[in-house]
Amino acid sequence: MASVGTALRELRGAQKSAKGVSLYSRFVNRPVGRYLAAGSYALGLTPNQVTLISAALSFAGAAAVALASPSWGLGVAVWALLAVGFAFDSADGQLARLRGGGSAAGEWLDHVVDCAKLTSLHTCVLIAFYRFPEAYGIGGGPDGAASAGWLLVPLGFQLAAVVTFFGGLLTEKLKPKPAPGSAAAAPSSLRAVALLPVDYGVFCLVFLLLGGSGVFRWAYAGAGVMAALFLVAFLAKWFRELSAVPR
């Protein structure tokens, strides 16, 4: 089995295109994922095992939001679990390329985990708002029950996130594949900056504010608004692109 150093050298020349990728994913998540992929390769792990590690970390972070009363310490722990889980999500694909290519089953597992991660995280925020309304500053009744309006925020955020995920995935499947040997378009720095508000890794930073009560809920709601606005823009873009593709 190759050493970590050898695996890293091979991975540097086997990276996916940076087109359509935010600055965070390009300069933080993918490089961290490259080290995790190299370490996983040296340990003899398979891409599917790395995907399951990503799932375990991500689901643990989401569950902690739902189960524990919000605090600054909880925020750091949740952010760390989600961020490292996201890095392992990048590592599984890099590991597959390092091993000579992935499988259809591996790609399926990766997408299923990604979808489950999105839905579970927003569901757990909804549960947290319901269980700890006073801690989040959204108690709306004499009995301290959560304000119904704030309980709708995670549902709306979840809808935008899942439709964006599915719409982007389906668009890539329906778009014609580039001709073999064609040069890939150069990544746009402006687009990489513009995508930061809806990058999952940037969104994870919001959970560092869990101890801030109202600060967290407003930051979370703001991220949800950005997700909804970008969804509208993405849908218009994807529909326009696919309209030119013959059926």
Side-chain angles (χ1 to χ4, degrees):
M1 188 65 66
S3 68
V4 172
T6 301
L8 282 172
R9 286 192 294 273
E10 293 183 18
L11 280 170
R12 288 192 185 97
Q15 292 298 299
K16 293 169 63 176
S17 169
K19 182 182 178 183
V21 176
S22 83
L23 287 181
Y24 178 90
S25 288
R26 183 178 178 183
F27 294 109
V28 178
N29 199 58
R30 284 188 177 180
V32 173
R34 187 162 63 241
Y35 280 93
L36 293 175
S40 299
Y41 186 71
L43 291 172
L45 298 179
T46 67
N48 287 349
Q49 288 172 330
V50 171
T51 299
L52 293 177
I53 292 173
S54 171
L57 292 169
S58 300
F59 294 147
V65 174
L67 298 175
S69 179
S71 67
W72 293 110
L74 177 67
V76 172
V78 168
W79 166 77
L81 287 167
L82 296 178
V84 177
F86 187 38
F88 269 106
D89 186 32
S90 173
D92 60 5
Q94 299 193 54
L95 177 59
R97 290 191 293 277
L98 188 60
R99 290 166 58 99
S103 65
E107 184 177 2
W108 175 87
L109 179 63
D110 185 42
H111 291 322
V112 168
V113 166
D114 285 345
C115 188
K117 178 174 64 179
L118 285 175
T119 55
S120 66
L121 182 55
H122 295 296
T123 299
C124 286
V125 172
L126 171 61
I127 294 171
F129 282 177
Y130 179 79
R131 294 189 68 214
F132 310 107
E134 296 300 329
Y136 286 103
I138 58 174
D143 58 352
S147 168
W150 278 102
L151 294 181
L152 294 175
V153 173
L155 291 177
F157 201 156
Q158 182 183 75
L159 175 65
V162 172
V163 174
T164 299
F165 173 79
F166 178 77
L169 185 62
L170 187 59
T171 300
E172 289 303 311
K173 294 297 182 184
L174 294 176
K175 285 170 62 175
K177 299 293 185 292
S182 59
S188 167
S189 298
L190 181 60
R191 180 178 173 83
V193 173
L195 288 173
L196 280 173
V198 287
D199 186 286
Y200 179 80
V202 174
F203 166 60
C204 291
L205 294 170
V206 170
F207 289 90
L208 288 172
L209 303 174
L210 271 174
S213 183
V215 179
F216 170 77
R217 77 172 189 268
W218 283 111
Y220 177 83
V225 170
M226 293 301 298
L229 293 174
F230 270 81
L231 172 60
V232 173
F234 286 145
L235 290 177
K237 174 179 179 292
W238 293 333
F239 186 81
R240 184 176 64 253
E241 292 175 346
L242 292 176
S243 294
V245 178
R247 295 187 62 181

